[in-house]
Every structure is written in C-alpha cells, then in structure tokens.
Amino acid sequence: MSEYTQTPPKSLRPFMILWVGQVFSLLGSQLVQFALIWWLTQQTGSATVLAIASIVGLVPQVVLGPFVGPLVDRWNRKRTMIVADAVVAMSTVVLVYLFRTGAVEIWQIYIVLFVRALGGSFHWPAMSASTTLMVPQEKLTRIQGLNQILNGGMSIASAPLGALLISLLPMEGVLMIDVVTATVAIITILFVHIPQPGREAGSQSTGENPSYIADLQAGLRYMLNWRGLMLMAGMAMLINMVLGPTNSFTPLLITDHFGGTAWHLGAIQAGFGVGVLVGGILLGVWGGFKRRIFTTLTALAGIGLGILVVGLAPAGLFPLAVAGMLFAGVMSSLCNGPIMAIFQATVSPSMQGRVFTLMGSATAAMMPLGLAVAGPLADVIGVRTWFLIGGVITIVAAVGGFFIPSLVNIERDRDSHQVIEDMAPNVAPLAAPVMEPAE
C-alpha cells in the first residue's frame, strides 16, 4: 500500500495532453515499422528474414520484461518515458544516416528493431502505470476505449499512409517522420506533471530502500498471492496461444480456402481494424457493464464467435469471413479495454510496472509457443480447422470464467488482497520465479 493516499486527479487535461503526444509517437513508430518491413521484403523476399525481424522485436518484451518492471516502479516514470522515446528516436537517426550514405545492411536493421523494442518495453509499462494516477478510476474504462479507437484507427490508416509516403519520399525521409513525432511526444511529456506512486508499506516501516531483487520478488509474490489476478493472467496466456496463430495463418486461409489475392487479405485485415475502431467508440460512449470483468468475459466469447465464423465461412462466402473478422475486432476492443482498466484500478500503483511487464512477457511468450504447436498441426488438419479450434477454446474459456468466483470478483476482492499486500514483507521470498501474462 502506498505511503500516502493518492489524491484523485481533478482534471483529465494533463493526461489528454500526454495522450495526444503518444498518438504522434505511435503513428511515427508504425510508419517506420511498415517502411522497414517493406524494405526487407523488397530487398530479400525472404520469409526467414521477416521472421527474424519479428522475433527480434519480441525478445525485449519476452526476455527482459520481468526485469524491467521493478526498474519502472523504482525510477521516475516521467524521465523513464522521456529517455525511452529519446533512445527510439536516436536509433532511427542512425538508420537515417545509414540509408542516406547507402551503407545500410540487414543486420543493422535487426539491431535498430531490437533497440526500438527495448525502448518500448520501458515506455509502455511506465505510461500504463502513470495512467492510473492521472485518470479517475470511474473513467479508466472510457480511456481504454479511447486507446482502442486509436489502435483501430492506426491499423486502418498506417499501412496505406506508409505506402503513400514510400512512393513520395526516400526511405530516410519516411524515417525522419518518426524522429519528428518522437520529439513531439517528448515535448508533451516535459510539460505534463506525472505523479509518482507512494512507497510500499514494507520499505516505509523499515526506512530501507529495497533492493532490485527484493522488488522483483515482491512483484512475483503480489501476483501469486492474488488468485483472481493469476487466473486472469492464465486466461490471457491461453487465448494468446490459441488465437495468435490465426493471424499468421490468415494469408494461407485466403489463398488455400477462399482462393483469394492480396486484395482479399487487405479486406479481411481492414475489417478487423474497422471493428477495433467501432468497438473503441462503443466502449468510450457506453463504458461497459458496471462490473468490468463481465464486459471482458462477454466480449471474449464474442471474439471466439467471430473467429469461429471466419473458420466456418464457405469458400464462396468470403464476405461472411470479413464480417466475422469485423465482429471479432469490435469484441477485441470491448475485451481488452476493460482488462487494462481492471488492472489499473485494482493493482497497487507501486506494483503496476512489475505486474504489467510480467504479464506482458508471459503473454508475448505464448505467441511463438502457439505457432510451434499450431504450425505442424495445421499442416495435418488444415489451417481452417485451427480457426475452429481457436474459436471454440476461446468461447469455452470465456463462459467458464463466469463460474470462477475469484475471477468474477477480481475487482471486489481488491481490498482484501491489499491486506495480503501489507503482509507481503513478512512472507518468505519465492524459491523460483513464476510465469507471467500480457494483453
């Protein structure tokens, strides 16, 4: 628990200034990502090269994520976000120089992608944890709806905008846009007050500054002692493992089952993006059920239903598959927005950096694991069957969640859990780390 009672934010204005800056930063990052992937595709035409680029971008979150959380909770979050944005911008400046001089090589792009992902692994938990202290709890779900609108809009706009810019500008010109947008983001952070969470009860009573290892152990203890949080994490890991491969298998579904072209792939991806946008608007206006977990579980079942429709769509009914993906996009916003609001409202502010990174690492780790299982299996049973499997498992998990008291009452159990948190310094350290979750 904190050293003092956190003063509720009086206005959303500081947060909205910060949020607008992050909109610019996200746009620049997605344009760079699109430009670099397109360049690698054009230069190599190699699926292996693209796979390595994807893995390099996941490594910081999966491997370093658990160790980043304690640092985010210990450091000044405002400075953490500024430094993270600055590191990402400087890595892009290096690429601009390499492209301008014609000295760029593939391995250099791998390094830059790694550095950018490393910056993001610090920035995201710092931003997410700061949101809790800058937004009134009753508005957290609507703010997450706003984030889903942003994600959906970026999904729809970034690819065509990136393609247009590549046709008009040299590669270094496109990359410089990211430097400009990162600068805008840093400036907005400089002019906004970002509160820090109070110190934990254990360190307050002893007057000692806990070590990094102690902080990491405290984060693991915090999650293990909260059954509802662990169940939420486990569900997120399961869903990411079974649904993650459907994204990778979509091109094969288009060509093998629907006999489609790149246009059909673009249509189904745009359908999902439009759905995310619509779902974000709906969440922002409606706010979801009073108990956020009900919104999440209902929408999770909706995601499974949408994926199931995609898998069941006959070869001659491609529009039905687009409709299924659009519905899944709507449900995705209604599921993910409340999840983040639940975490931000229930997890102690002094623990959020650790909890968010632990969950992010575990969930991200499920994607390669899911692909390792689904790839060979889909070669035997067919890609379409995996969509059916993923949809059914998702629906069953969501429906089952309604019958688990510690999951359904995760928000109501917050106060009783914080009693355990106060006792945490007297609990023996964990013998070994435990797996964690994500989005």
Side-chain angles (χ1 to χ4, degrees), residues 50-414:
L50 296 180
I52 293 173
S54 298
I55 292 171
V56 163
L58 281 173
V59 166
Q61 183 180 3
V62 174
V63 178
L64 303 179
F67 308 101
V68 167
L71 296 176
V72 170
D73 284 333
R74 292 163 70 90
W75 293 346
N76 181 285
R77 290 173 179 171
K78 180 173 184 174
R79 285 198 292 265
T80 299
M81 286 190 279
I82 291 174
V83 172
D85 279 343
V87 167
V88 170
M90 289 306 299
S91 69
T92 307
V93 169
V94 171
L95 264 189
V96 169
Y97 171 78
L98 292 173
F99 272 103
R100 186 176 292 276
T101 59
V104 67
E105 306 224 0
I106 293 174
W107 65 268
Q108 295 166 336
I109 291 180
Y110 289 158
I111 292 176
V112 169
L113 289 173
F114 177 85
V115 171
R116 292 175 63 84
L118 183 62
S121 68
F122 280 90
H123 185 282
W124 178 80
M127 176 68 183
S128 298
S130 298
T131 301
T132 309
L133 304 178
M134 300 178 73
V135 176
Q137 284 199 11
E138 67 274 11
K139 295 184 178 179
L140 283 172
T141 303
R142 285 186 166 86
I143 290 298
Q144 290 305 322
L146 195 61
N147 287 337
Q148 295 302 317
I149 293 173
L150 173 62
N151 292 334
M154 290 294 179
S155 297
I156 298 169
S158 59
L161 180 58
L164 175 63
L165 290 173
I166 287 175
S167 67
L168 297 176
L169 301 172
M171 179 63 75
E172 56 267 29
V174 178
L175 297 178
M176 276 303 299
I177 293 175
D178 182 54
V179 178
V180 173
T181 56
T183 302
V184 171
I186 291 173
I187 291 173
T188 60
I189 296 173
L190 288 172
F191 286 95
V192 171
H193 170 66
I194 299 177
Q196 286 289 111
R199 288 165 50 195
E200 295 167 40
S203 61
Q204 176 192 353
S205 60
T206 63
E208 298 177 357
N209 187 24
S211 68
Y212 170 85
I213 298 299
D215 275 352
L216 182 59
Q217 290 176 335
L220 292 169
R221 263 200 311 270
Y222 184 91
M223 292 189 65
L224 283 174
N225 287 332
W226 194 345
R227 181 176 173 81
L229 193 62
M230 288 298 293
L231 285 169
M232 178 74 77
M235 182 175 289
M237 293 168 65
L238 172 65
I239 300 306
N240 216 39
M241 186 173 72
V242 298
L243 292 188
T246 61
N247 183 54
S248 299
F249 294 163
T250 300
L252 291 175
L253 182 72
I254 294 297
T255 56
D256 295 351
H257 178 60
F258 292 107
T261 63
W263 182 91
H264 293 82
L265 177 60
I268 205 167
Q269 289 179 338
F272 184 81
V274 170
V276 171
L277 181 61
V278 171
I281 294 173
L282 178 59
L283 187 62
V285 173
W286 168 41
F289 298 119
K290 185 175 181 180
R291 293 178 69 175
R292 298 181 181 103
I293 189 65
F294 286 172
T295 309
T296 289
L297 292 175
T298 302
L300 182 60
I303 293 174
L305 179 60
I307 297 300
L308 201 58
V309 169
V310 174
L312 289 172
L317 278 180
F318 177 71
L320 180 60
V322 175
M325 196 61 80
L326 188 148
F327 183 74
V330 174
M331 293 296 106
S332 177
S333 287
L334 295 178
C335 177
N336 290 329
I339 282 179
M340 278 306 302
I342 288 171
F343 291 156
Q344 290 171 334
T346 58
V347 176
S348 172
S350 64
M351 286 284 182
Q352 286 188 7
R354 279 163 279 187
V355 171
F356 290 163
T357 51
L358 286 171
M359 295 188 72
S361 296
T363 304
M366 291 300 100
M367 292 190 69
L369 178 60
L371 284 168
V373 173
L377 188 59
D379 285 336
V380 176
I381 64 176
V383 167
R384 188 184 179 198
T385 306
W386 187 263
F387 278 78
L388 302 179
I389 293 173
V392 169
I393 291 177
T394 302
I395 293 172
V396 170
V399 173
F402 281 102
F403 297 94
I404 304 176
S406 55
L407 182 61
V408 192
N409 296 318
I410 185 171
E411 295 171 271
R412 291 183 176 181
D413 291 346
R414 173 182 54 186

